[in-house]
Amino acid sequence: MRKNGVNREIRAVSGGLSAIDGVRISKVFLGEKNVQLALFSVDGLSPVAVCAPSHSLFEEESLLAETARAVCFIIGATSVAVSSSEQLTRSLKATLAEKLSCKFSDVLLFSIGEINGAFPAGEIQEKLPKLVEDLKSLKEIKERSFAYAFDLGDFPCLLSGVALFKSQNFNGLPLSLWLATDVCISPKLLKTALVSAYKDTFGMLGRKESAFDFLGIVSTQKAGNAILDREDGEYKKFVSALKKVFEEIAKSFAAGAGERVAEIFVQGGRSKQAARTAVKRLTLAFAERKENGTGLLTEIFSAIGKDLSVGNLLRASVYIQSKTGTLVLCEEGISLPVNAVRMQEILTGENLRLSLNFHEGNFSASSWVRI
């Protein structure tokens, strides 16, 4: 598919995270507290962007864009913001730097989440050698991994990653998502791309909390393209590819184990933020809906309400479609008669989509919800 002269196709490829040369990850669990210690590394000093999404997504202090050789993150462990935190952090980083034969400044360390009881500093120190040993031996972890190929001009590029789950049986949503790319890009724009892709995909899933506790990406800089250091056409191609990958992952997370998923699509928004807000409200409303019949339109309108900053429903059109056909519920603010039997046929069909068009602008957003 081409749009405005830009090739936006992505292709699934084999290899998972290791599809990109020089990228490795290892993980161990600590005792019975379900705390995970994970280590992500690359062969050379590389741009890294990491963030810890919160209720107010991507506060500036939760973002980081710099270079590193390794990133260690402790999942399920409370922040080490105590009097001894700096000393503890330096001790853990020093051990990792020694084991990885790299500089102290080339290692980043983060902790995410909460645990009951004291921070398990001693146990973490004991596990670091095994973490590095598994990393060097290329021992594969069991979590869901993926890899996609795309093109920047004449240069074939890759995006790969792995989702780390809260428990050892990998149930529910992952706590963190780590990605890698071989695209040559500056740390600043890598962070900007990560935030943009998140807000238009995982940020649209309709949850009151963020989809992840931790999200990160590293670039090995080996694709051969001219470095992306400004928001030009080549940068937009990279963001488009990253969003497409995030869309595929978001849909799979929304689906869960073999469940059906509906797409929620808003177009004609007066601004990007208005379209995003409408999608979030519709996603929550559809997930919690009490009506599958003719009352569905009422619930949709109630979700948007009279908030004109989101959109004017007096101009809106609403329709649902699936493989069994399309049914218009509302046209330019006017409700239309709905056949309840036909409604059920469409709602139970494959590739279900609920669409709302405000007819106010050119902005759109989409999300996915488990049916």
Side-chain angles (χ1 to χ4, degrees):
M1 174 180 67
R2 295 185 68 83
K3 184 176 181 181
N4 298 328
V6 175
N7 186 351
R8 300 184 186 276
E9 286 188 351
I10 63 168
R11 308 172 296 279
V13 295
S14 61
L17 183 67
S18 59
I20 297 179
D21 291 338
V23 179
R24 297 178 295 277
I25 191 167
S26 61
K27 188 186 77 171
V28 295
F29 281 88
L30 306 183
E32 298 179 357
K33 295 181 178 180
N34 218 18
V35 177
Q36 302 175 45
L37 184 63
L39 180 61
F40 189 82
S41 79
V42 288
D43 283 344
L45 197 61
S46 303
V48 173
V50 296
C51 50
S54 61
H55 289 282
S56 52
L57 286 179
F58 301 112
E59 297 277 352
E60 191 62 32
E61 59 267 23
S62 73
L63 290 166
L64 177 70
E66 54 182 81
T67 56
R69 281 276 312 276
V71 181
C72 181
F73 44 105
I74 307 157
I75 307 171
T78 189
S79 171
V80 291
V82 293
S83 58
S84 61
S85 62
E86 184 175 352
Q87 180 180 356
L88 174 59
T89 299
R90 291 186 64 85
S91 175
L92 294 174
K93 286 181 63 174
T95 300
L96 280 171
E98 179 184 359
K99 297 292 182 182
L100 292 169
S101 301
C102 66
K103 296 179 181 179
F104 177 86
S105 58
D106 293 347
V107 178
L108 302 178
L109 179 67
F110 301 91
S111 60
I112 315 151
E114 296 181 357
I115 58 174
N116 296 319
F119 187 81
E123 191 174 2
I124 290 173
Q125 283 280 18
E126 292 176 4
K127 292 288 187 178
L128 287 182
K130 175 172 173 52
L131 197 66
V132 175
E133 179 184 339
D134 288 348
L135 189 79
K136 291 181 176 179
S137 65
L138 302 179
K139 181 179 179 181
E140 293 188 7
I141 63 175
K142 298 178 181 180
E143 272 87 343
R144 188 183 306 175
S145 63
F146 51 88
Y148 293 89
F150 62 100
D151 298 319
L152 284 182
D154 296 328
F155 297 95
C157 303
L158 292 168
L159 267 169
S160 66
V162 62
L164 300 180
F165 288 76
K166 181 177 181 179
S167 63
Q168 300 190 50
N169 57 11
F170 320 128
N171 287 333
L173 282 170
L175 281 182
S176 64
L177 183 68
W178 258 104
L179 302 110
T181 182
D182 55 0
V183 170
C184 297
I185 185 171
S186 70
K188 180 180 178 181
L189 279 194
L190 190 63
K191 179 187 77 171
T192 303
L194 184 69
V195 171
S196 177
Y198 182 97
K199 286 185 174 180
D200 280 334
T201 52
F202 300 115
M204 296 290 102
L205 286 178
R207 297 184 180 84
K208 295 179 181 179
E209 72 277 7
S210 64
F212 302 107
D213 286 333
F214 196 74
L215 183 67
I217 186 170
V218 63
S219 169
T220 63
Q221 308 281 78
K222 295 179 179 180
N225 62 291
I227 187 166
L228 305 181
D229 55 7
R230 60 184 184 276
E231 296 185 29
D232 57 10
E234 293 301 287
Y235 166 77
K236 291 178 181 178
K237 293 181 191 179
F238 173 67
V239 174
S240 176
L242 188 57
K243 286 182 180 179
K244 290 291 184 183
V245 170
F246 278 10
E247 284 175 5
E248 293 302 314
I249 301 168
K251 282 188 282 189
S252 67
F253 290 163
E259 297 186 55
R260 293 175 63 235
V261 173
E263 180 183 3
I264 309 297
F265 180 64
V266 169
Q267 61 184 319
R270 64 181 63 176
S271 68
K272 189 65 176 177
Q273 186 56 46
R276 286 171 173 164
T277 301
V279 160
K280 286 184 178 181
R281 292 182 183 180
L282 288 178
T283 302
L284 284 170
F286 197 81
E288 299 171 357
R289 70 190 186 284
K290 298 178 181 178
E291 284 279 356
N292 276 330
T294 55
L296 179 60
L297 181 62
T298 301
E299 294 196 0
I300 292 171
F301 275 21
S302 296
I304 302 298
K306 298 180 180 180
D307 187 350
L308 295 180
S309 66
V310 176
N312 188 349
L313 292 175
L314 295 178
R315 303 176 184 173
S317 299
V318 181
Y319 62 92
I320 57 170
Q321 64 184 132
S322 66
K323 280 189 175 182
T324 61
T326 300
L327 187 62
V328 179
L329 305 181
C330 173
E331 189 68 48
E332 296 187 359
I334 301 175
S335 300
L336 301 177
V338 173
N339 183 296
V341 175
R342 185 60 178 148
M343 168 84 84
Q344 283 299 314
E345 289 176 351
I346 293 174
L347 286 172
T348 55
E350 294 298 319
N351 300 333
L352 180 62
R353 187 190 218 197
L354 170 66
S355 298
L356 185 152
N357 191 338
F358 284 114
H359 302 291
E360 293 181 333
N362 298 317
F363 295 93
S364 63
S366 59
S367 181
W368 301 268
V369 60
R370 196 175 302 175
I371 302 174

